[in-house]
Short mmCIF file of all heavy atoms in Angstrom, two decimals:
data_model
loop_
_atom_site.label_atom_id
_atom_site.label_comp_id
_atom_site.label_asym_id
_atom_site.label_seq_id
_atom_site.Cartn_x
_atom_site.Cartn_y
_atom_site.Cartn_z
N GLN O 97 -46.61 -175.63 81.53
CA GLN O 97 -45.71 -175.60 80.38
C GLN O 97 -45.13 -177.00 80.21
O GLN O 97 -45.66 -177.80 79.46
CB GLN O 97 -44.65 -174.50 80.55
CG GLN O 97 -45.30 -173.10 80.45
CD GLN O 97 -44.32 -171.97 80.60
OE1 GLN O 97 -43.24 -171.98 80.05
NE2 GLN O 97 -44.70 -170.95 81.38
N CYS O 98 -44.07 -177.31 80.94
CA CYS O 98 -43.51 -178.67 80.78
C CYS O 98 -44.48 -179.72 81.30
O CYS O 98 -44.42 -180.87 80.90
CB CYS O 98 -42.16 -178.78 81.46
SG CYS O 98 -42.21 -178.93 83.26
N GLY O 99 -45.33 -179.34 82.23
CA GLY O 99 -46.35 -180.26 82.73
C GLY O 99 -45.89 -181.16 83.87
O GLY O 99 -46.67 -181.97 84.36
N TYR O 100 -44.65 -181.01 84.29
CA TYR O 100 -44.13 -181.95 85.28
C TYR O 100 -44.70 -181.70 86.67
O TYR O 100 -44.95 -182.63 87.43
CB TYR O 100 -42.61 -181.89 85.31
CG TYR O 100 -42.00 -183.13 85.91
CD1 TYR O 100 -41.87 -184.29 85.14
CD2 TYR O 100 -41.59 -183.15 87.23
CE1 TYR O 100 -41.34 -185.44 85.69
CE2 TYR O 100 -41.05 -184.30 87.79
CZ TYR O 100 -40.93 -185.44 87.01
OH TYR O 100 -40.40 -186.58 87.55
N CYS O 101 -44.92 -180.44 87.00
CA CYS O 101 -45.49 -180.13 88.32
C CYS O 101 -47.00 -180.26 88.30
O CYS O 101 -47.66 -180.16 89.34
CB CYS O 101 -45.12 -178.71 88.74
SG CYS O 101 -45.99 -177.44 87.78
N THR O 102 -47.57 -180.43 87.11
CA THR O 102 -49.01 -180.26 86.91
C THR O 102 -49.89 -181.24 87.69
O THR O 102 -50.87 -180.81 88.30
CB THR O 102 -49.33 -180.28 85.40
OG1 THR O 102 -48.46 -179.34 84.75
CG2 THR O 102 -50.76 -179.93 85.12
N PRO O 103 -49.60 -182.55 87.68
CA PRO O 103 -50.46 -183.43 88.48
C PRO O 103 -50.53 -182.99 89.94
O PRO O 103 -51.62 -182.95 90.54
CB PRO O 103 -49.79 -184.80 88.32
CG PRO O 103 -49.10 -184.72 86.98
CD PRO O 103 -48.58 -183.30 86.90
N GLY O 104 -49.37 -182.64 90.48
CA GLY O 104 -49.35 -182.17 91.88
C GLY O 104 -50.10 -180.87 92.05
O GLY O 104 -50.83 -180.67 93.03
N GLN O 105 -49.94 -179.97 91.09
CA GLN O 105 -50.66 -178.68 91.17
C GLN O 105 -52.17 -178.92 91.17
O GLN O 105 -52.91 -178.30 91.93
CB GLN O 105 -50.32 -177.78 89.96
CG GLN O 105 -48.86 -177.38 89.82
CD GLN O 105 -48.43 -176.21 90.68
OE1 GLN O 105 -49.22 -175.67 91.46
NE2 GLN O 105 -47.17 -175.84 90.56
N ILE O 106 -52.62 -179.81 90.29
CA ILE O 106 -54.07 -180.02 90.13
C ILE O 106 -54.67 -180.65 91.39
O ILE O 106 -55.71 -180.19 91.89
CB ILE O 106 -54.35 -180.87 88.87
CG1 ILE O 106 -54.08 -180.01 87.61
CG2 ILE O 106 -55.78 -181.41 88.86
CD1 ILE O 106 -54.17 -180.76 86.30
N LEU O 107 -54.00 -181.64 91.94
CA LEU O 107 -54.53 -182.25 93.16
C LEU O 107 -54.49 -181.27 94.31
O LEU O 107 -55.42 -181.17 95.12
CB LEU O 107 -53.75 -183.54 93.48
CG LEU O 107 -54.07 -184.65 92.47
CD1 LEU O 107 -53.01 -185.72 92.47
CD2 LEU O 107 -55.45 -185.25 92.72
N SER O 108 -53.42 -180.50 94.38
CA SER O 108 -53.31 -179.49 95.41
C SER O 108 -54.41 -178.44 95.25
O SER O 108 -55.02 -177.98 96.23
CB SER O 108 -51.93 -178.84 95.31
OG SER O 108 -51.51 -178.38 96.54
N ALA O 109 -54.67 -178.08 94.00
CA ALA O 109 -55.68 -177.05 93.72
C ALA O 109 -57.07 -177.53 94.11
O ALA O 109 -57.88 -176.77 94.65
CB ALA O 109 -55.64 -176.70 92.23
N ILE O 110 -57.35 -178.80 93.85
CA ILE O 110 -58.66 -179.35 94.22
C ILE O 110 -58.82 -179.29 95.75
O ILE O 110 -59.86 -178.86 96.27
CB ILE O 110 -58.79 -180.80 93.69
CG1 ILE O 110 -58.94 -180.76 92.16
CG2 ILE O 110 -59.98 -181.51 94.34
CD1 ILE O 110 -58.80 -182.12 91.50
N ALA O 111 -57.77 -179.69 96.46
CA ALA O 111 -57.83 -179.63 97.92
C ALA O 111 -57.94 -178.18 98.39
O ALA O 111 -58.68 -177.87 99.33
CB ALA O 111 -56.60 -180.29 98.52
N CYS O 112 -57.22 -177.30 97.71
CA CYS O 112 -57.25 -175.88 98.06
C CYS O 112 -58.68 -175.34 98.00
O CYS O 112 -59.13 -174.63 98.90
CB CYS O 112 -56.32 -175.13 97.10
SG CYS O 112 -56.27 -173.35 97.32
N VAL O 113 -59.41 -175.74 96.97
CA VAL O 113 -60.80 -175.30 96.83
C VAL O 113 -61.64 -175.88 97.97
O VAL O 113 -62.42 -175.18 98.62
CB VAL O 113 -61.37 -175.71 95.46
CG1 VAL O 113 -62.87 -175.44 95.40
CG2 VAL O 113 -60.64 -174.98 94.34
N HIS O 114 -61.47 -177.19 98.22
CA HIS O 114 -62.28 -177.82 99.27
C HIS O 114 -61.95 -177.33 100.66
O HIS O 114 -62.80 -177.33 101.54
CB HIS O 114 -62.18 -179.35 99.16
CG HIS O 114 -62.96 -179.89 98.01
ND1 HIS O 114 -64.34 -179.88 97.98
CD2 HIS O 114 -62.56 -180.39 96.82
CE1 HIS O 114 -64.75 -180.38 96.83
NE2 HIS O 114 -63.69 -180.69 96.11
N GLU O 115 -60.72 -176.89 100.84
CA GLU O 115 -60.36 -176.31 102.14
C GLU O 115 -60.99 -174.94 102.34
O GLU O 115 -60.92 -174.37 103.43
CB GLU O 115 -58.83 -176.13 102.22
CG GLU O 115 -58.04 -177.42 102.33
CD GLU O 115 -56.57 -177.21 101.90
OE1 GLU O 115 -56.15 -176.04 101.77
OE2 GLU O 115 -55.89 -178.22 101.68
N GLY O 116 -61.53 -174.39 101.25
CA GLY O 116 -62.07 -173.04 101.33
C GLY O 116 -61.00 -171.97 101.19
O GLY O 116 -61.12 -170.87 101.73
N HIS O 117 -59.93 -172.31 100.49
CA HIS O 117 -58.83 -171.36 100.33
C HIS O 117 -58.72 -170.82 98.91
O HIS O 117 -57.63 -170.49 98.45
CB HIS O 117 -57.51 -172.02 100.73
CG HIS O 117 -57.40 -172.30 102.20
ND1 HIS O 117 -56.82 -173.43 102.72
CD2 HIS O 117 -57.84 -171.58 103.26
CE1 HIS O 117 -56.89 -173.39 104.04
NE2 HIS O 117 -57.50 -172.28 104.39
N ALA O 118 -59.84 -170.80 98.22
CA ALA O 118 -59.80 -170.30 96.85
C ALA O 118 -60.73 -169.11 96.68
O ALA O 118 -61.34 -168.89 95.65
CB ALA O 118 -60.16 -171.42 95.87
N GLY O 119 -60.81 -168.32 97.73
CA GLY O 119 -61.74 -167.19 97.72
C GLY O 119 -61.27 -166.01 96.90
O GLY O 119 -62.07 -165.22 96.40
N SER O 120 -59.97 -165.88 96.75
CA SER O 120 -59.43 -164.73 96.01
C SER O 120 -58.09 -165.13 95.42
O SER O 120 -57.49 -166.13 95.84
CB SER O 120 -59.20 -163.54 96.96
OG SER O 120 -58.18 -163.87 97.89
N ALA O 121 -57.62 -164.33 94.47
CA ALA O 121 -56.31 -164.61 93.87
C ALA O 121 -55.24 -164.61 94.95
O ALA O 121 -54.35 -165.47 94.97
CB ALA O 121 -55.99 -163.57 92.80
N GLU O 122 -55.37 -163.65 95.85
CA GLU O 122 -54.41 -163.53 96.96
C GLU O 122 -54.32 -164.83 97.76
O GLU O 122 -53.23 -165.35 98.03
CB GLU O 122 -54.93 -162.41 97.87
CG GLU O 122 -54.03 -162.03 98.99
CD GLU O 122 -52.87 -161.17 98.50
OE1 GLU O 122 -52.85 -160.79 97.31
OE2 GLU O 122 -52.00 -160.91 99.31
N GLU O 123 -55.49 -165.36 98.09
CA GLU O 123 -55.55 -166.56 98.91
C GLU O 123 -55.00 -167.77 98.13
O GLU O 123 -54.26 -168.60 98.66
CB GLU O 123 -57.02 -166.81 99.28
CG GLU O 123 -57.19 -167.51 100.59
CD GLU O 123 -58.68 -167.71 100.92
OE1 GLU O 123 -59.56 -167.45 100.06
OE2 GLU O 123 -58.94 -168.14 102.04
#
Side-chain angles (χ1 to χ4, degrees):
Chain O
Q97 291 180 43
C98 76
Y100 200 80
C101 72
T102 308
Q105 299 278 2
I106 288 174
L107 290 161
S108 208
I110 289 168
C112 178
V113 172
H114 285 291
E115 289 160 13
H117 290 142
S120 66
E122 186 77 6
E123 209 179 9

